[in-house]
């Protein structure tokens, strides 16, 4: 018996086939339910995000980043509902000075922190190091690095329209906020300067000269900002109230990140050169080494939980996340994540 296929039948088969393919694609990017306290770790070479449940420090989910290449730092908004991930198309694991690379696929991906679904993709013409929400969550600040003059773009999160453009220095890396949210700090890596911007007026109020190749100015609840100078192998302390650089800590290693712990009054610096975290205490107005914690190759980002009792450290070269008890300065768990983990965000 021969079956004659009419043109209508063929069209119907084609439509059903397309529908089945679409359903498969949807299943491959299923909606998650991260309704628990979690740590989000960006994997720069795996091009995804590992989700770690805080209660038992296990990897529970992996968020795919829609074909993105070399995602870098990640920030969460104040309501803990959205994540901003910088897509750099450039491997920054070896260092940030003179960074360049492909301009294909440069963007900020805004992701729902609960479902893991893409909310908004902001396409860019130049490389972003990070995207960060202001303290009210009404704005997303995004940097675009340039060898001549970099820019910061401020987007309204209500409709993602461009609100302001601010011109800063050469080779812009991280953009961060002061602890109270009133000031923004932009690290001009090529210029060895940090631009301080009024968060409300969007006007640059000062430019500080720091060490060679500054990457990020990290806020502390002691009111200071701590700048990691990658090639200078030092930390510059900025006091925004005094409008000045008030201290320089010479390290003797390449820093990856700086974090201040208010419970222990310690300054933690990741030692990317030796795969550990070195912590400092203020003795007679001088930051002095108190000890170190071995974590893993190319130690990078440091994030404390809300209580300041536990620290999370990403180890780019090891592909792991170290969980550290702050009081005892010991690693209590090492979690395998993706390849080249860098940025960390926490939802509690």
């Amino acid at each position: 018996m021969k079956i004659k296929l009419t043109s209508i039948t063929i069209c119907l088969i084609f439509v059903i086939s397309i529908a089945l393919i679409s359903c498969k694609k949807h299943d491959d990017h299923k909606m998650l339910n991260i309704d628990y306290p979690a740590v989000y770790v960006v994997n720069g070479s795996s091009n995804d995000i590992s989700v770690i449940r805080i209660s038992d420090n296990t990897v529970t989910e992996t968020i795919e980043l829609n074909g993105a290449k070399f995602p870098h730092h990640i920030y969460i908004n104040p309501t803990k509902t959205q994540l901003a991930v910088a897509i750099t198309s450039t491997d920054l694991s070896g260092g940030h000075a003179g960074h360049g690379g492909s301009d294909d696929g440069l963007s900020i991906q805004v992701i729902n922190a609960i479902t893991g679904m893409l909310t908004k993709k902001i396409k860019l013409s130049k490389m972003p190091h990070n995207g960060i929400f202001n303290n009210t969550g009404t704005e997303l600040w995004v940097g675009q690095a340039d060898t001549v003059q970099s820019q910061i773009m401020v987007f309204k999160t209500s409709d993602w329209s461009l609100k302001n453009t601010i011109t800063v220095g050469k080779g812009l890396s991280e953009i961060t906020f002061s602890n109270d949210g009133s000031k923004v700090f932009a690290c001009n890596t090529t210029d060895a300067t940090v631009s301080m911007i009024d968060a409300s007026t969007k006007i640059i109020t000062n430019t500080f000269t720091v060490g060679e190749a500054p990457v990020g100015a990290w806020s502390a609840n002691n009111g200071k900002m701590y700048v990691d100078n990658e090639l200078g192998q030092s930390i510059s302390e900025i006091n925004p109230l005094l409008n000045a650089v008030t201290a320089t800590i010479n390290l003797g290693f390449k820093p990856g990140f700086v974090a201040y712990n208010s419970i222990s009054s310690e300054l933690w610096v990741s030692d990317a050169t030796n795969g550990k975290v070195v912590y400092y205490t203020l003795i007679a107005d001088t930051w002095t080494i108190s000890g170190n914690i071995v974590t893993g190759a190319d130690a990078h980002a440091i994030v404390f939980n809300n209580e300041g009792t536990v620290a999370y450290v990403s180890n780019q070269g090891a592909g792991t996340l170290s969980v550290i008890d702050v009081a005892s300065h010991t690693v209590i768990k090492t979690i395998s994540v993706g390849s080249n983990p860098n940025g960390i965000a926490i939802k509690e």
Side-chain angles (χ1 to χ4, degrees), residues 40-44 48-50 65 71-74 85 340-343:
Y40 302 83
V41 182
V42 176
N43 301 307
D48 55 23
I49 300 170
S50 295
L65 290 174
H72 200 52
H73 284 179
I74 182 171
V85 184
N340 287 119
N342 50 69

Side-chain angles (χ1 to χ4, degrees), residues 40 87 136 252 324 333:
Y40 302 83
I87 310 302
T136 59
I324 301 171
K333 190 169 185 179

